[in-house]
Amino acid sequence: RWGVINRKVLEREQNVPPWRQLLIKLRRMELRGDIRGGRFISGVGGEQFALPDTVAALRKQHKLWQDAQERDPTTRTPLRHIINATDPLNLLGSLLPDKRVPHQSGNRILFEDGIAIAVLEKDEVKLLRGDNSAQQWDLQKLLQKKTFPPRLRAYIGKV
């Protein structure tokens, strides 16, 4: 479910055995070749474990990111993702070093090139990087934009 697991990620889960017991099992699985152990995600301390397919996907994604960074930064458009605060991917405050965002359905997090840059909390945008007010207005419009599934868009007339 997580792709890469470590102690911090498992602290968020319920009904999980202690890390010391899991660590023994994970190391045995690594010795058998079922999983890979190492440091896959920078900025996250401790041992990390992942399936071999996940490691390959992470390497591919990192290569794409490096290629994008090498291109001219003035012509490159940043890759942006918005997730809801209730999404299990909301690791702000627990795994990622930024401020914690309450797990409420109206709150959203904007990631740019994999880094959290803005948070919509109680209909107010808070920038996590920089203080540009013009940028804040654009990010607020982006975060508050409502998206509807295609069938619902056809029904309500927002095709």
Side-chain angles (χ1 to χ4, degrees):
R1 161 176 145 162
W2 286 103
V4 177
I5 61 169
N6 62 17
R7 186 178 190 158
K8 283 271 196 181
V9 167
L10 291 178
E11 285 175 357
R12 295 174 45 114
E13 297 292 321
Q14 296 175 354
N15 302 325
V16 181
W19 177 250
R20 64 183 180 277
Q21 291 177 358
L22 283 175
L23 192 56
I24 293 167
K25 300 287 186 189
L26 290 168
R27 286 180 179 161
R28 284 184 186 154
M29 291 173 70
E30 182 183 8
L31 289 173
R32 283 195 313 253
D34 296 338
I35 62 173
R36 300 272 311 270
R39 306 272 196 266
F40 306 110
I41 302 173
S42 62
V44 178
E47 292 183 80
Q48 302 170 18
F49 297 92
L51 293 172
D53 296 341
T54 304
V55 175
L58 285 171
R59 285 185 177 150
K60 181 180 175 185
Q61 190 66 32
H62 183 67
K63 175 90 172 104
L64 290 173
W65 181 79
Q66 281 182 327
D67 292 345
Q69 293 298 318
E70 290 173 1
R71 288 188 223 127
D72 184 16
T74 58
T75 60
R76 188 178 77 77
T77 57
L79 183 60
R80 291 182 171 167
H81 295 284
I82 298 173
I83 65 168
N84 197 301
T86 59
D87 195 314
L89 287 174
N90 176 8
L91 299 174
L92 290 180
S94 60
L95 192 60
L96 300 174
D98 293 313
K99 76 177 223 92
R100 186 176 293 270
V101 179
H103 291 267
Q104 297 174 346
S105 62
N107 296 344
R108 292 186 180 87
I109 305 162
L110 174 65
F111 290 89
E112 186 173 88
D113 293 331
I115 299 171
I117 62 165
V119 172
L120 177 70
E121 190 177 344
K122 298 179 185 173
D123 294 328
E124 181 183 333
V125 172
K126 297 175 185 168
L127 293 179
L128 301 175
R129 308 273 188 266
D131 289 331
N132 188 348
S133 60
Q135 181 187 18
Q136 186 171 0
W137 176 253
D138 293 337
L139 295 177
Q140 184 168 358
K141 288 193 305 186
L142 186 64
L143 282 166
Q144 289 179 335
K145 182 180 176 183
K146 304 268 192 248
T147 57
F148 301 102
R151 293 181 81 187
L152 184 58
R153 279 198 308 256
Y155 179 74
I156 61 176
K158 294 187 178 206
V159 178

